[in-house]
Amino acid sequence: MTVIETEPPEAVTADSLSGEAYRVAMRRWLRANLPAGFRSDSAAFVAPTLQQSIAWEAAMHRTGLAGITWPQAYGGHGRTLREHLIANQEIGALAMPESVNSIGKELAGPIILAVGTEEQKRRFLPAILEMRDIWCQGFSEPEAGSDLASLRTRATRSGDNWRINGQKIWTSGAYRSQRCLVLARTGPLEDRHRGLAMFAVRLDAEGVRVRTIKSIDGRESFCEVFFDDVEVPQSDAVGAPNEGWAAAIRVLEIERATNRMYRAWRFENELRHLISACKTDPVLAQLVADSRYAARIGEVVVDIEVLKAHVETVVDALVSGDRIGARGSLAKLHWSEAHQRFAALALELLAQASMPLLPAVKVARRRFEAIYLQARAETIYAGTTEIQLGIIADRILQLSRGK
Amino acid sequence: MAPTSEGLQPADFAVTAERAVAACSGLGLREQASHLAGDGLLGVVAHEDVGGLDLPLAFAVPVVAAATSGLLGFPLLETILLGQLLRQPVPRLAAAIVRGEVLATIAWQGSVIAEREADTVLLNGWVARAPCATEVDHVLVRIGADRAALISIEADGVVVEEGAGLDLTVLEHGMRLESVAIPEERILRDGAWARLCSDANVLRAAAILGSAGACLSLAQEHASTRRQFGRALSYNQAIRHALARQKLGLEGMRHAITRSLGELAGALERDAAFLAAAACGTSISEGALQIHGGMGFTWDVPVHRHIRRIRSLQAQGDASGLIAALGRRYVAEIAPAAEAAAAQ
């Protein structure tokens, strides 16, 4: 494993700092320790290897930048949700790579904390934070993308254990994961939402096969995962049998509303990068100051501010003890579409650069071409735009569907 | 002792405001002023010295939102802001405005030139977008870029044009000022106009929120009750998704307003709240009209009144100019990449 040598975060302990002092310490630590080569706004950027990512994320956790709100008993830092937001603001401010274990930290972990057994919490959670276990999410299937009620992957009782058969798809990062949070059917298909259970399946178990899928950005992160008589111990069943749907919905609410809470601040980092690159090129510098483009940049700024407002509202609601519920769809819908609008604007601007490209513009072109392609997936994953609109119509507006 | 924000929440004012606005229906402007003042709504943010409640701007948000939601025909936003703004230069007048005894408004567009002559100042120029100007006693006009002056509508040299513009609920007026003499104390200090506009943008966003919320409710009601081809309109996915998008816009503007009133909020957050409201409010109201179909194009369905109101508020705040200015300001603050790298 690559060892990331990091400076200590200046006497940061779980108890010693809070609020803004915590922000300052985290900011200093990130800026002192994030390797330049990890930053996609740097000319030195080279996508980190898996081992480098693991080492970096483990160092972030040791510093207090992962498992922020998780109880200390399970390896977390026992901090407040507001501090979680602060950490995310600081993470978002830098063009660092996406976590290779966001599913573990932001989906599997929270759901295990909510419905897992004490034994599961002690076994799974520290391993996620220490990056010993990377997780993926096995919800979607070829015949059931956003329509989880149509899942066909089946879990049947086999003595004290379960036996899983079926296929998952769009399972991001399965090839590099140790565990998959699998939603499987325990009842008949006609039961739809009922009779679904959730399992923490080891991906090195006999009968599991992973195949990568090449996506439009040239990466091979998506996977198909095949389960052929995979035996899963009862101790890896997460939550009560037949309550998998409720747990899944809870996971998805988290996914839509709180995961990658840094998005608004990363979005801001991207906009600032775009403008700073444009300002090195005489043609682009003139364009971004031009009224037409200034107004469009103003629209991106407003989109970012509205996204921040959505995020902060979610945090306020959670701090007040409310569940996020369907409101997660509002934030998800906004950021996914706003990011696509911004990415298209970035490409349009950069396409007008002087030739030959200046170094800063080259770096920006590389970054924004990748962002543009990746943003195509953002209105698809975690529930498509159409699914989010349906959720808002059904559960927030409570519009009648009947005759 | 006047109430403070302690123990009170802005939402507490929503119900009072809704009731007061409903009670103003059919009343003349001065009767409305008296009624609204009686409920403490005109002085919600004005200082106690002038009879106000001295509450933070957040408390004016539900009041202004209720006013547009109920299509109140009164320059409430302007009155609330003037009650606060005029405390220093003309406290007795500010108190009279808060009591509803004197009516005042603001000309949001255009500016005049001020020239000193002996003990007075002469104002010349053209201003516009002054809601209810023919019925009020005083109008605040902009001088140059960032000063302002309060003029009496009765002063010599003030010519108020006939009401114009889309908004039928609160008519806007243009005004020509020809050597209008005012005493020195009626001129507000430098920076007053910018601060006024900053507060006004938050309240405009609140006003648009009120109208947009009313439009969405009307559209939702219509889609749920109107039947076509044997089913409620809301059965159709296109309608459901259109309404869901309207809800997304409405909640986005609501959250942006809340954020603009936070402790750390500044000009960026305030401008963003107004601009988000201007963009989303327009699409929500126009979308509501579309969902009403042919009915939406009839005079009787009030959606068009809200569209008119939102479009006027958008113009009063110069949304298109402001968004370009916001973009330019943002761009100007960012150093070119090489410098940024060197600074790190």
Side-chain angles (χ1 to χ4, degrees), chain B residues 215-338:
Chain B
C215 286
L216 179 55
S217 294
L218 288 166
Q220 209 175 329
E221 169 74 13
H222 183 73
S224 301
T225 53
R226 168 82 169 143
R227 297 177 71 78
Q228 285 209 329
F229 305 108
R231 292 181 167 126
L233 278 181
S234 62
Y235 177 84
N236 296 295
Q237 192 179 63
I239 301 285
R240 302 173 73 77
H241 284 191
L243 287 168
R245 281 203 178 279
Q246 293 181 15
K247 181 66 173 170
L248 172 67
L250 192 76
E251 293 309 307
M253 72 169 91
R254 191 194 311 279
H255 300 333
I257 292 168
T258 302
R259 186 162 197 274
S260 77
L261 293 163
E263 277 176 24
L264 302 174
L268 171 64
E269 289 79 7
R270 287 176 162 225
D271 289 351
F274 166 60
L275 291 167
C280 295
T282 305
S283 70
I284 291 168
S285 58
E286 291 173 353
L289 191 144
Q290 177 71 18
I291 282 176
H292 278 81
M295 288 296 292
F297 197 64
T298 64
W299 196 261
D300 292 344
V301 174
V303 170
H304 73 103
R305 294 184 181 273
H306 288 292
I307 293 177
R308 292 165 185 275
R309 192 85 262 269
I310 289 168
R311 284 292 188 184
S312 295
L313 288 161
Q314 192 183 35
Q316 285 170 11
D318 186 21
S320 55
L322 186 66
I323 200 152
L326 174 68
R328 273 195 297 272
R329 212 164 64 215
Y330 199 88
V331 168
E333 285 169 3
I334 297 171

Side-chain angles (χ1 to χ4, degrees), chain A residues 65-117:
Chain A
L65 285 162
I68 295 162
T69 60
W70 296 10
Q72 290 173 318
Y74 310 130
H77 296 285
R79 291 183 173 276
T80 65
L81 193 60
R82 294 212 189 280
E83 286 163 340
H84 178 75
L85 175 59
I86 286 172
N88 272 267
Q89 289 168 341
E90 296 305 319
I91 289 168
L94 297 172
M96 71 172 73
E98 300 287 348
S99 165
V100 294
N101 202 9
S102 62
I103 301 288
K105 293 174 195 170
E106 298 184 327
L107 291 171
I111 200 69
I112 290 164
L113 270 170
V115 302
T117 63

Side-chain angles (χ1 to χ4, degrees), chain A residues 7-13 16-33 63-65 79 82-83 85-91 94:
Chain A
E7 291 178 15
E10 297 188 13
V12 176
T13 67
S16 65
L17 297 174
S18 62
E20 288 307 302
Y22 169 72
R23 179 196 300 281
V24 170
M26 293 301 106
R27 178 179 297 171
R28 280 194 190 140
W29 185 88
L30 281 168
R31 284 165 200 243
N33 292 290
T63 303
L65 285 162
R79 291 183 173 276
R82 294 212 189 280
E83 286 163 340
L85 175 59
I86 286 172
N88 272 267
Q89 289 168 341
E90 296 305 319
I91 289 168
L94 297 172

Side-chain angles (χ1 to χ4, degrees), chain A residues 20 31 39 41 89 265 268 271-273 275-277 279-280 285 288-291 293-299 301-302 304-306 308-310 312-313 316 329-331 333-334 337 360 385-390 392-394 396-403, chain B residues 216 219-221 223-224 227 230-237 239-245 247-249 251-259 264 268-269 271-273 275-277 320 323-328 330-340 344:
Chain A
E20 288 307 302
R31 284 165 200 243
R39 295 177 57 154
D41 59 356
Q89 289 168 341
W265 290 270
E268 192 167 46
L271 177 61
R272 295 182 73 84
H273 177 201
I275 293 168
S276 70
K279 288 177 96 169
T280 64
V288 293
D290 167 82
S291 276
Y293 276 108
R296 291 178 66 188
I297 289 167
E299 287 170 3
V301 174
V302 172
I304 293 171
E305 292 302 308
V306 171
K308 288 178 181 174
H310 275 297
E312 289 168 3
T313 302
D316 286 345
S329 292
L330 295 169
L333 189 51
H334 177 76
E337 295 192 330
T385 292
E386 290 69 25
I387 287 290
Q388 309 306 332
L389 290 169
I392 295 167
D394 291 349
I396 298 180
L397 291 174
Q398 300 188 322
L399 293 174
S400 162
R401 270 181 185 279
K403 290 188 176 184
Chain B
L216 179 55
Q220 209 175 329
E221 169 74 13
S224 301
R227 297 177 71 78
R231 292 181 167 126
L233 278 181
S234 62
Y235 177 84
N236 296 295
Q237 192 179 63
I239 301 285
R240 302 173 73 77
H241 284 191
L243 287 168
R245 281 203 178 279
K247 181 66 173 170
L248 172 67
E251 293 309 307
M253 72 169 91
R254 191 194 311 279
H255 300 333
I257 292 168
T258 302
R259 186 162 197 274
L264 302 174
L268 171 64
E269 289 79 7
D271 289 351
L275 291 167
S320 55
I323 200 152
L326 174 68
R328 273 195 297 272
Y330 199 88
V331 168
E333 285 169 3
I334 297 171
E339 290 173 40
Q344 281 178 358

Side-chain angles (χ1 to χ4, degrees), chain A residues 111-231:
Chain A
I111 200 69
I112 290 164
L113 270 170
V115 302
T117 63
E118 182 62 23
E119 184 274 328
Q120 286 173 338
K121 291 175 190 172
R122 291 188 182 277
R123 181 160 51 109
F124 291 138
L125 299 181
I128 290 172
L129 295 176
E130 291 160 14
M131 296 295 289
R132 287 183 279 118
D133 282 352
I134 296 178
W135 285 60
C136 57
Q137 177 194 16
F139 283 14
S140 295
E141 295 186 9
E143 299 294 321
S146 297
D147 180 13
L148 295 181
S150 298
L151 291 184
R152 291 168 187 273
T153 293
R154 178 161 294 282
T156 48
R157 274 283 186 186
S158 169
D160 290 339
N161 296 335
W162 293 86
R163 199 169 287 279
I164 295 183
N165 281 283
Q167 181 193 351
K168 296 290 174 180
I169 196 166
W170 317 127
T171 312
S172 300
Y175 70 92
R176 63 179 182 223
S177 300
Q178 280 73 45
R179 291 265 174 186
C180 183
L181 192 66
V182 172
L183 196 58
R185 185 165 296 285
T186 51
L189 190 60
E190 295 70 38
D191 277 357
R192 290 182 59 76
H193 299 145
R194 295 182 298 280
L196 291 173
M198 199 177 279
F199 300 91
V201 181
R202 275 180 34 234
L203 288 179
D204 61 358
E206 196 174 335
V208 176
R209 186 163 57 90
V210 176
R211 191 179 79 82
T212 58
I213 302 169
K214 193 167 184 175
S215 50
I216 61 169
D217 55 0
R219 299 198 305 176
E220 296 196 359
S221 177
F222 286 146
C223 299
E224 286 179 291
V225 185
F226 301 89
F227 300 90
D228 184 11
D229 266 342
V230 177
E231 194 154 294

